[in-house]
Amino acid sequence: MTFSIYQLKPKFQQLLSPLLKGLVRLRVTPNQVTVLALLLSLAYGVALALFPHCLGLCFGLPLFLLLRMGLNAIDGMLANATGQKTRLGALLNEMCDQVSDVALYLPFALLAGIHAPLLVIVLMLALLAEFAGVLAATIGAPRRFDGPMGKSDRAFAFGLLACLSATGVAPHWLNAALLLILVLSLWTVINRLRQALRFSAPPTP
């Protein structure tokens, strides 16, 4: 199995357990958490677009992505803990994740020396990887989160990219990193489709 940071999710959820109990007491709903994560991502993305070379925003991006990861985990935990899993929640979860990704990563095209078309292709493949994960459900397989470049891995990669940019790393190295993300994203698309076919295959008689 290809490693992905997503495999650490159970440990991450354990760390969030105290927060979960507090949110349950406050009667916060999963959808409220999902929408909050989206709004915060949009706001941070706009700030990055307006001030692409702000060192504070660049160095702060990994911390924000960790916060977003926590919010993304807590909405599902809330849904399970309170019995509030809904079809609307499932749709919101998928749509908000993809919009947030684009909002946070597209501003990288404004960084000096970044090859914008390459970044756009990377984001297209990222969206395609998530589409492949969701597509698995249409053939009877569970939603696929396989790596090596899933949502959590992508957050780590772009957080690192932001820090490298802020420290003055030469643009050709940043573009090389984007190229690596592109290759790993393509691998992820293929891997998720393969795993979807594997888990949807009828049992051998």
Side-chain angles (χ1 to χ4, degrees), residues 10-170:
K11 296 287 186 183
F12 191 50
Q13 288 178 323
Q14 288 178 12
L15 296 174
L16 295 173
S17 294
L19 176 59
L20 173 64
K21 294 175 183 177
L23 293 176
V24 170
R25 285 196 298 270
L26 292 172
R27 298 186 180 180
V28 174
T29 68
N31 289 352
Q32 287 172 340
V33 176
T34 303
V35 172
L36 174 62
L38 171 64
L39 294 177
L40 290 176
S41 297
L42 289 174
Y44 206 100
V46 168
L48 284 171
L50 293 175
F51 309 102
H53 298 99
C54 174
L55 295 182
L57 288 173
C58 289
F59 282 122
L61 184 61
L63 295 177
F64 177 80
L65 291 172
L66 183 61
L67 170 64
R68 179 192 164 205
M69 198 180 303
L71 292 173
N72 286 341
I74 208 76
D75 62 0
M77 294 168 66
L78 259 178
N80 290 325
T82 59
Q84 296 184 66
K85 294 183 73 171
T86 64
R87 290 176 294 177
L88 173 60
L91 293 175
L92 277 176
N93 190 56
E94 293 293 344
M95 289 296 296
C96 290
D97 273 351
Q98 311 324 315
V99 173
S100 296
D101 268 11
V102 173
L104 289 168
Y105 305 146
L106 192 57
F108 277 73
L110 301 174
L111 292 175
I114 286 290
H115 190 60
L118 175 60
L119 176 69
V120 171
I121 294 172
V122 167
L123 292 183
M124 289 175 63
L125 277 174
L127 293 175
L128 188 59
E130 298 311 313
F131 178 67
V134 174
L135 195 61
T138 66
I139 58 173
R143 206 289 194 195
R144 302 308 307 171
F145 295 96
D146 310 270
M149 190 51 66
K151 180 176 66 177
S152 301
D153 310 290
R154 199 159 49 246
F156 176 82
F158 273 92
L160 179 60
L161 204 63
C163 290
L164 291 175
S165 171
T167 55
V169 170

